[in-house]
């Protein structure tokens, strides 16, 4: 989430943590669910043990990212939420190994709760390893700040063009799977490279399902350690490339 926003509203339920965010420029949005690795929720002593009611908490994404980088792989992170604590301020306490980190929860009143739109005009679909797609778009950065994704029944073409340079790369065969385009018609859209690269770097260990349309947002979903959806708006230019 930190590739899009500095803070976020997280819905806490008995079996998952869920966040939906839109970047300030409204170019990209993401919905991420952390479910299988959420171990257990317990109420503090003295708190009614009625059925667990979902609630929202505001989190500083940059602080959390820095904290989680200090955790070892597969290390359990224990979170205590005092909402509110006796001082009247919402507090979060994170236990990572031998380290304890306290921070305030953020006020969620001014935070958006975006709705993930239904995109029926995405007529092209394929599956690909996140790392494969990330490595495919990386060469474009030395040529342009945008990249063109074109999907045909034979595979995906990644293309960028600058003032004097061009780069083109094809993914097909064993590199991508489950390729489908409606009526065999190619789909093609132009996307901002910085958004796409930053996102793909985060999910490069995931298996991605990518849906494309012509001059429509790209929709990328995954179901691994986290489950999520990422939408990126296209650049509309009739004379581009």
């Amino acid at each position: 989430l930190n590739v899009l926003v500095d803070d976020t509203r997280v819905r806490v339920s008995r079996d998952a943590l869920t966040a939906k965010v839109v970047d300030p420029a409204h170019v990209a949005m993401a919905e991420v669910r952390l479910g299988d690795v959420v171990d257990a929720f317990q109420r503090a002593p003295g708190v009614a043990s009625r059925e667990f009611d979902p609630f929202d908490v505001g989190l500083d994404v940059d602080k959390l990212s820095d904290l989680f980088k200090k955790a070892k792989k597969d290390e359990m992170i224990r979170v205590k939420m005092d909402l509110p604590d006796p001082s009247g301020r919402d507090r979060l306490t994170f236990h990572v190994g031998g380290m304890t980190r306290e921070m305030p929860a953020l006020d969620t009143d001014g935070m958006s709760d975006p709705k993930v739109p239904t995109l029926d005009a995405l007529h092209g679909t394929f599956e690909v390893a996140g790392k494969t797609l990330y490595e495919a778009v990386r060469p474009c950065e030395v040529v342009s700040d945008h990249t063109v994704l074109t999907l045909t029944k034979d595979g995906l073409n990644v293309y960028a063009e600058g003032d004097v340079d061009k780069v083109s790369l094809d993914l097909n065969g064993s590199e991508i799977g489950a390729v489908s385009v409606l009526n065999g018609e190619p789909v093609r859209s132009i996307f901002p490279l910085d958004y796409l690269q930053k996102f793909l770097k985060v999910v490069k260990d995931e298996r991605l399902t990518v849906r494309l349309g012509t001059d429509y947002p790209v929709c990328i979903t995954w179901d691994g350690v986290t489950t999520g959806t990422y939408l990126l708006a296209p650049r509309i230019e009739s004379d581009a490339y």
Side-chain angles (χ1 to χ4, degrees), residues 1-18:
L1 298 178
N2 64 333
V3 301
L4 295 180
V5 294
D6 297 325
D7 52 54
T8 186
R9 174 201 306 263
V10 174
R11 169 54 58 104
V12 181
S13 64
R14 181 178 291 276
D15 58 356
L17 307 176
T18 306

Side-chain angles (χ1 to χ4, degrees), residues 5-240:
V5 294
D6 297 325
D7 52 54
T8 186
R9 174 201 306 263
V10 174
R11 169 54 58 104
V12 181
S13 64
R14 181 178 291 276
D15 58 356
L17 307 176
T18 306
K20 293 182 288 185
V21 299
V22 177
D23 80 297
H26 289 260
V27 173
M29 74 173 297
E31 179 178 24
V32 180
R33 182 180 186 274
L34 183 64
D36 292 342
V37 297
V38 176
D39 185 26
F41 288 100
Q42 295 179 335
R43 289 184 174 274
V47 177
S49 58
R50 56 187 172 81
E51 184 178 354
F52 189 91
D53 294 326
F55 61 92
D56 292 339
V57 60
L59 300 179
D60 186 310
V61 176
D62 289 334
K63 287 183 179 179
L64 288 182
S65 178
D66 180 68
L67 174 66
F68 294 157
K69 287 177 182 177
K70 295 177 171 60
K72 298 177 182 178
K73 186 178 181 180
D74 299 327
E75 187 170 37
M76 183 67 71
I77 298 174
R78 184 170 177 266
V79 185
K80 179 184 178 183
M81 300 181 182
D82 295 310
L83 307 170
D85 75 355
S87 70
R89 297 185 62 193
D90 294 347
R91 301 289 300 178
L92 302 170
T93 304
F94 296 84
H95 301 278
V96 183
M99 179 181 67
T100 299
R101 171 75 181 272
E102 293 187 21
M103 65 182 71
L106 304 181
D107 187 355
T108 61
D109 286 347
M111 295 182 183
S112 64
D113 185 18
K115 307 299 181 185
V116 179
T118 300
L119 299 171
D120 296 326
L122 302 181
H123 296 157
T125 305
F126 65 95
E127 295 179 1
V128 65
K131 184 177 182 180
T132 298
L133 190 54
Y134 174 65
E135 295 294 341
V137 302
R138 283 188 68 189
C140 299
E141 66 182 347
V142 298
V143 174
S144 176
D145 57 2
H146 288 76
T147 187
V148 182
L149 301 183
T150 303
L151 184 67
T152 70
K153 60 183 179 60
D154 298 317
L156 179 72
N157 176 260
V158 180
Y159 177 82
E161 181 177 337
D163 293 335
V164 293
D165 296 340
K166 300 178 182 179
V167 62
S168 179
L169 186 145
D170 291 316
L171 295 179
N172 47 47
S174 62
E175 296 174 301
I176 64 174
V179 176
S180 173
V181 287
L182 183 66
N183 298 325
E185 294 293 329
V187 291
R188 175 184 182 277
S189 288
I190 309 170
F191 298 102
L193 191 56
D194 56 343
Y195 280 86
L196 191 58
Q197 273 191 288
K198 288 177 181 178
F199 166 73
L200 291 175
K201 185 176 182 180
V202 173
V203 295
K204 63 182 180 180
D205 293 331
E206 305 285 2
R207 183 72 179 178
L208 308 178
T209 298
V210 183
R211 297 170 58 215
L212 285 169
T214 295
D215 294 335
Y216 262 79
V218 61
C219 177
I220 303 176
T221 58
W222 67 97
D223 187 359
V225 175
T226 60
T227 301
T229 300
Y230 178 81
L231 297 175
L232 179 60
R235 175 182 178 182
I236 308 295
E237 284 192 14
S238 59
D239 59 346

